[in-house]
Amino acid sequence: MGEMAAGIAHELNQPLAAIANYASAAGRLAALQARGSTDTDGELPLALTQIGEQALRAGEIIRTLRALAQNRQTQREFVDVNELVEEVLRFARSDLRLNEVQIITEFGVGLPLALLDRIQIQQVLLNLLRNAIEALAVKPRERRVVQIRTSCDDTQRLLIEVTDDGPGASEDLVTRMFDPFFTTKETGTGLGLAISRTIVRAHRGEIYHRAVSTGGASFVVELPGPSGSGE
Ligand code: ADP
């Protein structure tokens, strides 16, 4: 987390430095205008718009951090992952409805409980769901589907798979998507998958992308079963 904090500080510095620069330029332009010169190129509104956009970007980075790396003690408890998925779907209900995304669930039967921090893993799943919803934005409304599947392997590790049939990810994208601050979205922070990986690994689990034949993207969250670690 320390390494990531340094990266985050650096990333936050950029919009803040840009805000300072644009603000000082705006100040200069405003002073010139006060003295009667005309802003023919519309530079002042441009600087002000930039200030607004950069502030939003800084806010977005902070919001993502707050949601994912909540400042609280981790609390491990035994959790039914099917229940956990149901909870996450309830949280995401309005987002799903708004974007007309249909959910298909396939819940494993008789799964062991997982020892995990409920809130942290909810955030990981919510982030996957949000990414899926965003990926599906390019598809016609009637064909936006996300599949969520739970299962366990023969070592009692729990698997939660979130699969969308959006445009998917190229090989190059797959190798970089978990890097902190890597994003292909105009307003993305590129922190979601990186922080999710930190969280899941702190649970002695793993999160990875898996190619799917239908061309969409699929993410698997693997978590230790009731022994908590597989030790
Ligand atoms: P952000 O959503 O802010 O970009 P993430 O770390 O969650 O940050 O995602 C990093 C990048 O991984 C995204 O910008 C996108 O290019 C890619 N990605 C994530 N989820 C999907 C998905 N379901 N389909 C296609 N690409 C994805």
Side-chain angles (χ1 to χ4, degrees), residues 3-22:
E3 201 178 297
M4 190 171 276
I8 288 159
H10 171 76
E11 194 74 5
L12 267 177
N13 239 355
Q14 292 184 344
L16 293 177
I19 288 170
N21 284 338
Y22 284 119

Side-chain angles (χ1 to χ4, degrees), residues 57 60 64 68 127-136 162-170 173-174 176-196 209 215-219:
R57 167 147 181 81
E60 188 59 37
T64 309
L68 284 167
N127 186 66
L128 289 181
L129 210 49
R130 206 167 303 125
N131 277 346
I133 292 171
E134 284 170 3
L136 286 167
V162 179
T163 308
D164 64 67
D165 60 354
S170 66
L173 183 55
V174 169
R176 299 169 68 196
M177 60 191 352
F178 284 91
D179 293 349
F181 307 114
F182 174 81
T183 183
T184 55
K185 300 171 192 169
E186 219 165 282
T187 58
T189 61
L191 284 173
L193 288 176
I195 294 180
S196 294
H209 171 271
S218 182
F219 290 86

Side-chain angles (χ1 to χ4, degrees), residues 23-100:
S24 99
R28 266 198 314 276
L29 290 165
L32 283 174
Q33 284 184 39
R35 276 188 247 123
S37 76
T38 42
D39 181 15
T40 41
D41 297 336
E43 281 183 85
L44 184 56
L46 191 74
L48 294 175
T49 308
Q50 284 294 336
I51 289 172
E53 277 176 12
Q54 295 296 325
L56 285 178
R57 167 147 181 81
E60 188 59 37
I61 293 171
I62 289 167
R63 232 185 336 278
T64 309
L65 283 173
R66 280 179 118 168
L68 284 167
Q70 300 188 15
N71 188 15
R72 54 187 269 285
Q73 286 288 315
T74 56
Q75 286 169 4
R76 300 278 161 95
E77 55 185 303
F78 287 106
V79 173
D80 174 341
V81 291
N82 289 343
E83 251 174 43
L84 193 76
V85 169
E86 296 273 24
E87 284 162 9
V88 167
L89 289 177
R90 274 199 294 280
F91 294 147
R93 193 158 49 193
S94 60
D95 215 3
L96 290 165
R97 196 178 313 142
L98 209 66
N99 291 285
E100 292 178 45

